Amino acid sequence: MSGVVIYLPPGVGDGGGEPRGEAVTLRLGAGEVARFGRGSATTPVELRLVDAAISRLAGEIRVTEDHWQLSNHSTTQSYLVENPEGAGEYLRVPPRRAGAPIPFEFSRVVLPTRRDSTVAFQVFAPDHLYLDPDGMGGHRGTRTVTAYSLDETAIYFLVLLALCEPRLRDESPLAVPTTPQIVERLRTHPACGQLTARAVSSHIDYLAEEKMRISAPSEPGPVRGARRNGKREAIVGLALRFGLVREDHLGLLPPRTGGGDGAWPGRQLGG
């Protein structure tokens, strides 16, 4: 398994006189643990949630081979684990619950506060494996799994499809959509109304590093934008070469609007 990626947005929580933290991205392998809470000099945590209603050590995330577990160290508060890509599914992890298994591939962990908002961070789960449908009837010892395990109902798959759409439609042999163009392209999809550029970038990183296992350059590129563009190009190239997205997948995208010719929103070919 490729492990878990945890993303904590910057300035989470109400500082209440304490300095608010910066964005944190953690990568955990099987057997590794990340603790979360307000933290202190004597109670260090990897994910610092600055809010007076959150315990110094609120809980921990532990990664196993094929999923992750959430432990709630609070004696009074339940935590929620939401599936942002589902139909409102969520799990409630009660106080003192240890090692609750989380089945979602992409999750939002939500902690209550005394204000009119909550504190949350995101977890990308270990790569979910699916059996090859052609090998379902074989003996257990001979079954195979897919090399690139993609969930076609997930938002990251819509992002991948939007990246590949121009080439699937033979509109441009060179240009790959930018992050703002992907946000605009998916804006009218029922599951993507709140999709932000930061979220799209996270999905692209997840596709490259966890799903497709595209290695980062050994030497830093001249600018960050060029490296990100190279990552998008690599994702599109691999997806099209191996048929991970096909023309029949285009129906998953919302109808294209504007321009009369069905062009991408704001698209400038060759730019």
Side-chain angles (χ1 to χ4, degrees):
M1 294 297 124
S2 53
V4 155
V5 178
I6 305 173
Y7 174 70
L8 175 67
V12 170
D14 178 4
E18 297 184 51
R20 291 160 61 114
E22 304 202 353
V24 175
T25 299
L26 296 178
R27 299 179 184 277
L28 304 179
E32 294 186 311
V33 175
R35 295 170 294 181
F36 59 89
R38 262 185 20 254
S40 70
T42 57
T43 309
V45 293
E46 287 74 30
L47 299 168
R48 189 164 179 266
L49 312 176
V50 184
D51 192 283
I54 295 176
S55 304
R56 294 292 182 184
L57 180 57
E60 70 176 31
I61 289 170
R62 180 178 296 274
V63 182
T64 70
E65 287 294 332
D66 58 0
H67 67 282
W68 60 279
Q69 301 171 342
L70 178 66
S71 294
N72 181 353
H73 291 175
S74 173
T75 59
T76 58
Q77 301 283 3
S78 292
Y79 304 153
L80 297 182
V81 183
E82 300 174 341
N83 177 12
E85 300 185 334
E89 299 97 336
Y90 68 90
L91 296 175
R92 181 183 296 110
V93 182
R96 303 182 305 281
R97 174 68 161 93
I102 308 300
F104 308 135
E105 189 168 8
F106 176 45
S107 306
R108 180 183 296 114
V109 180
V110 183
L111 283 69
T113 70
R114 297 187 65 181
R115 299 172 289 115
D116 58 356
S117 61
T118 56
V119 166
F121 57 88
Q122 301 167 350
V123 182
F124 291 87
D127 190 8
H128 288 191
L129 297 179
Y130 296 87
L131 292 173
D132 185 338
D134 295 331
M136 289 293 287
H139 297 292
R140 180 171 298 275
T142 62
R143 289 181 180 177
T144 58
V145 295
T146 54
Y148 300 105
S149 182
L150 300 177
D151 181 358
E152 295 181 7
T153 67
I155 291 179
Y156 69 72
F157 190 80
L158 290 174
V159 171
L160 174 61
L161 190 54
L163 279 170
C164 298
E165 182 183 19
R167 295 189 186 178
L168 285 172
R169 297 188 188 274
D170 293 327
E171 292 176 344
S172 171
L174 297 176
V176 173
T178 64
T179 296
Q181 286 173 331
I182 293 173
V183 173
E184 180 62 20
R185 179 67 182 93
L186 299 177
R187 179 177 52 82
T188 58
H189 191 285
C192 300
Q194 303 299 317
L195 191 66
T196 64
R198 182 184 293 274
V200 167
S201 295
S202 295
H203 283 298
I204 290 173
D205 289 342
Y206 183 56
L207 283 165
E209 299 164 16
E210 305 299 328
K211 286 298 185 180
M212 299 183 177
R213 302 177 294 281
I214 295 172
S215 300
S218 57
E219 295 182 2
V223 292
R224 181 176 181 180
R227 292 197 299 271
R228 182 166 294 279
N229 185 63
K231 181 182 294 185
R232 295 200 311 268
E233 291 276 0
I235 289 172
V236 171
L238 188 149
L240 295 179
R241 284 198 306 274
F242 286 96
L244 305 182
V245 292
R246 305 178 301 275
E247 288 186 33
D248 55 289
H249 285 127
L250 291 174
L252 297 174
L253 294 173
R256 298 195 295 182
T257 60
D261 59 356
W264 262 72
R267 187 162 185 77
Q268 297 179 0
L269 297 182

